[in-house]
Amino acid sequence: MHSAAAKAQSFLLSAKSLMTDELSIRVERSFKNIAPESWSKLAGASKTGSVLPYNPFVSHAFLSSLEESGSATDKTGWLGNHLLLETDDGELLGAVIGYLKSHSQGEYVFDHGWADAFERAGGRYYPKLQCSIPFTPATGPRLLVAEGQDRSVLQPALAESLKEVTRQLGASSAHITFLPEDEASIFEGNGYLHRTDQQFHFINKGYADHDAFLETLASRKRKALKKERRAALEHGISIDWLTGSDLTENIWDQFFAFYMDTGSRKWGRPYLTRKFYSLIGERMPEDVLLVMAKREGRYIAGAINFIGGETLYGRHWGCIEDHPFLHFEVCYHQAIDFALSKGLKRVEAGAQGEHKLARGYLPVITHSAHYIGHQGLRRAVADYLKHEREQVEEMSEILTEHSPFRKGERQDI
């Protein structure tokens, strides 16, 4: 990664205007060099934004915590290369979060097969430019534009400039993952390949509480979920919601033990460091919800969620005791309870998991965009993606038909 890092540094120092005499593109390596107050003017990155609902993952607090904690750095294969659109006097008008990568880990949109095929054919797939939130399979804005600016002009300009940045960095490709459908259309209009996948989200249709939601399910499904929730809390288990000032260092120590235990078995090496949790607890405590399960006076399991303007984002969970159905209770049922209590419109419960369907989480199409410089690889990937999109759409329709809702209960995503 050292040669790629050197190239990124030289590009940062010699960047020339890719826009006009008044606007230019600069590539910044570190969030330490981006003022929080400047970043907060980007739509979706702060709670005061009016164009987009707040997305905690594109906030300066979250992104800088990933970097400063050692979770997403050059050493872990995530070298910051953030595209900034600025005026001549340095005012930030737009941005694309980007990382020059030497691997494809921690992304949740898998391109290992593309890399293997290209390198077997004599190509060099890495480094590549990954435009996403590290270790976070949650949809959010990727073409960030400051409040009050013309998004219809600046977003296509950012998409086009990203291709030039990719070439100047010497990267094989650029991958923009978990972006909204409208942004996917912008990238596609600028020559990027469009990829789809599937997640499961809970949609709040204005339910007063969890019981009101359960009433929309088929009788057999409703009874099964009630039984499941009772069983999860047997053996004297209780649930706490912790947020804000509840998030003490002692609590983070306990949750980190859960994360390390489950993460080590699932991934081999968990991505996030202990310091990351201290930093988000300090910088964005009101945006964090820990759902913690307690038995005999100590916490035995927990799940971390992030609270957006309209959405609760479930991320990961861990435990030090195994109990039937406790994972479903802590990660899915409690998330619905919290979202309904706060009037949030949806719960995004992370990647994969068809087991979520029976618990009221419906299939939702997710989107990514891909720029590939090598024409031969581009043609092969384009053909693959055409068939993959058809399969994703077909599977989504099949799963929707098997949702637990009563017939006639329309569930618009």
Side-chain angles (χ1 to χ4, degrees):
M1 192 68 185
H2 295 296
S3 61
K7 186 145 191 174
Q9 180 65 41
S10 66
F11 175 67
L12 172 63
L13 296 175
S14 64
K16 296 181 180 179
S17 172
L18 300 176
M19 304 287 295
T20 70
D21 291 338
E22 293 78 27
L23 301 179
S24 62
I25 292 292
R26 179 168 65 89
V27 175
E28 177 56 65
R29 292 272 299 276
S30 174
F31 273 93
K32 292 180 180 179
N33 301 324
I34 304 174
E37 58 272 19
S38 177
W39 188 264
S40 70
K41 295 178 182 178
L42 301 175
S46 73
K47 296 179 181 179
T48 58
S50 59
V51 175
L52 298 177
Y54 174 57
N55 185 297
F57 302 123
V58 301
S59 69
H60 193 280
F62 186 86
L63 294 164
S64 63
S65 295
L66 284 173
E67 179 184 315
E68 291 178 37
S69 67
S71 301
T73 66
D74 183 16
K75 291 182 179 179
T76 61
W78 292 81
L79 176 62
N81 276 263
H82 311 299
L83 185 156
L84 306 182
L85 171 61
E86 299 174 324
T87 63
D88 282 346
D89 60 2
E91 181 184 0
L92 182 62
L93 300 187
V96 179
I97 300 160
Y99 298 87
L100 200 62
K101 294 201 64 192
S102 57
H103 57 71
S104 293
Q105 299 170 9
E107 298 170 5
Y108 302 91
V109 175
F110 303 110
D111 63 348
H112 301 84
W114 305 356
D116 291 345
F118 192 46
E119 294 186 359
R120 283 198 306 270
R124 185 172 66 93
Y125 195 73
Y126 302 106
K128 66 174 187 175
L129 189 59
Q130 183 71 26
C131 301
S132 64
I133 311 302
F135 326 121
T136 308
T139 293
R142 299 294 179 259
L143 295 170
L144 300 170
V145 173
E147 293 287 349
Q149 299 298 317
D150 191 339
R151 297 164 62 81
S152 67
V153 172
L154 295 188
Q155 286 188 319
L158 285 167
E160 187 63 29
S161 296
L162 185 61
K163 293 191 290 187
E164 179 62 24
V165 169
T166 302
R167 290 190 287 266
Q168 291 199 33
L169 288 173
S172 71
S173 49
H175 308 266
I176 307 89
T177 52
F178 296 103
L179 72 165
E181 186 173 6
D182 62 333
E183 290 190 11
S185 297
I186 293 170
F187 278 105
E188 198 168 12
N190 281 270
Y192 290 69
L193 301 179
H194 181 201
R195 190 176 195 182
T196 58
D197 203 348
Q198 180 178 267
Q199 287 184 346
F200 294 86
H201 298 174
F202 169 80
I203 310 301
N204 181 4
K205 305 296 289 185
Y207 307 118
D209 53 29
H210 202 280
D211 286 339
F213 153 64
L214 288 177
E215 286 302 314
T216 65
L217 305 185
S219 175
R220 181 170 59 87
K221 301 291 187 180
R222 180 168 62 250
K223 291 177 181 177
L225 290 187
K226 287 183 176 180
K227 181 178 180 181
E228 177 176 283
R229 298 200 71 178
R230 290 194 299 269
L233 300 182
E234 290 178 351
H235 310 295
I237 295 174
S238 60
I239 302 293
D240 289 338
W241 291 349
L242 306 180
T243 188
S245 60
D246 302 326
L247 302 174
T248 64
E249 288 300 295
N250 176 261
I251 290 296
W252 285 126
D253 284 340
Q254 294 179 69
F255 179 77
F256 190 67
F258 307 155
Y259 171 66
M260 289 297 290
D261 181 77
T262 300
S264 296
R265 286 185 277 110
K266 187 174 182 181
W267 306 307
R269 183 180 67 83
Y271 299 125
L272 300 169
T273 66
R274 172 63 181 83
K275 185 178 179 181
F276 168 77
Y277 295 100
S278 291
L279 289 175
I280 61 171
E282 172 189 329
R283 295 172 179 176
M284 51 190 304
E286 302 301 329
D287 300 339
V288 178
L289 168 70
L290 289 184
V291 177
M292 301 284 275
K294 181 182 287 185
R295 191 177 76 86
E296 295 182 353
R298 69 165 187 159
Y299 287 121
I300 60 169
I304 188 169
N305 304 263
F306 288 82
I307 307 167
E310 295 182 346
T311 302
L312 182 68
Y313 300 93
R315 283 303 302 112
H316 44 262
W317 109 299
C319 65
I320 55 174
E321 289 185 11
D322 291 321
H323 294 275
F325 307 115
L326 186 59
H327 172 249
F328 300 143
E329 177 65 25
V330 169
C331 294
Y332 309 135
H333 300 310
Q334 289 289 327
I336 291 175
D337 285 346
F338 183 86
L340 295 181
S341 74
K342 301 300 182 182
L344 298 175
K345 293 184 178 181
R346 67 170 59 207
V347 179
E348 294 191 17
Q352 304 171 336
E354 292 183 7
H355 56 277
K356 298 169 187 171
L357 184 67
R359 291 156 185 93
Y361 291 76
L362 294 174
V364 175
I365 301 297
T366 59
H367 304 271
S368 60
H370 306 266
Y371 166 70
I372 298 174
H374 188 277
Q375 290 305 304
L377 179 61
R378 176 188 169 84
R379 285 192 296 270
V381 170
D383 183 63
Y384 169 80
L385 293 182
K386 178 179 182 296
H387 296 289
E388 185 185 53
R389 287 193 299 271
E390 293 171 353
Q391 293 171 355
V392 168
E393 183 68 31
E394 181 180 357
M395 180 56 67
S396 181
E397 292 175 359
I398 292 172
L399 289 170
T400 299
E401 287 297 316
H402 289 83
S403 81
F405 293 91
R406 295 196 307 259
K407 292 188 181 299
E409 284 288 342
R410 182 182 174 89
Q411 294 294 316
D412 296 323
I413 302 301

